[in-house]
Amino acid sequence: MKSKLLHILQHSRGLDEYGQGRRYRNHYVAGGKDINHCRELVTMGYMEERPASELTGGSPWFFVTCTGDQAIDQFSPEPPPPPVLTKAQRNYQDYLDADGCTGDSFADHLGIAKPEVESELQWIDGHLNDGKWISGRHEWRYRYRRVTRNRYWGQDVVAGQWKPTKQEAKASYKAALQARRQRVAA
């Protein structure tokens, strides 16, 4: 069978180029050169023609017969094998297929506790004057902290030191995390 004719049959039924998918429709509104292709499929017994109407824009429409459905199954090529995925790719595909049922993020899906950034305003210099606080300089400082709750061991806290920038705070957190991993491995 010509590939163009097979494509028309597959498209009429809502299938992909391998004849796979859910057969959710059965019509093809033909125009231009496609009318001749569809009429060729009618002579083969794979389609039936219906007259043009206002609904189809003045073009005839065709539907696939039972014999046409069998022809789709018979002449559609075999799909290629699915790609071989690494474990990380399979994990991510599982996350995409989960529809948000396993958490808000990929880290939640994997069960990874993400660190949270904490911030506070630190007063550098200030003093009391007649019982009123006279503010001086102040600056923000940051710290990354991760709390993991475990039903067997209570909670596990990994925290970096307070730093003046988030970048420095993150580096401090990573150092604390690395030190904890070395303690656990020892």
Side-chain angles (χ1 to χ4, degrees), residues 69-89:
D69 274 336
Q70 292 170 354
I72 292 172
D73 296 336
Q74 179 182 356
F75 295 114
S76 292
E78 287 294 318
V84 178
L85 301 176
T86 64
K87 184 176 186 222
Q89 290 170 327

Side-chain angles (χ1 to χ4, degrees), residues 1 3-4 14-15 28 38 56 69 71 85 93 102-103 105 112 124 133-134 138-140 161 170 172-173 181 183:
M1 175 180 285
S3 63
K4 178 64 178 172
L15 305 174
Y28 192 88
C38 289
T56 62
D69 274 336
L85 301 176
Q93 191 60 49
T102 59
S105 68
I112 297 172
I124 306 266
W133 181 260
I134 306 298
H138 62 278
E139 63 184 27
W140 285 97
Q161 298 173 350
K170 190 171 191 176
S172 172
Y173 169 76
R181 286 182 181 147
R183 280 195 317 269

Side-chain angles (χ1 to χ4, degrees), residues 24-60:
Y24 65 93
R25 67 175 176 228
N26 190 2
H27 68 276
Y28 192 88
V29 178
K33 295 178 186 175
D34 287 344
I35 292 176
N36 295 331
H37 293 302
C38 289
R39 287 191 175 137
E40 186 178 345
L41 287 165
V42 168
T43 60
M44 298 167 82
Y46 297 148
M47 292 187 106
E48 285 188 22
E49 183 175 356
R50 293 292 183 248
S53 70
E54 201 174 299
L55 182 65
T56 62
S59 298

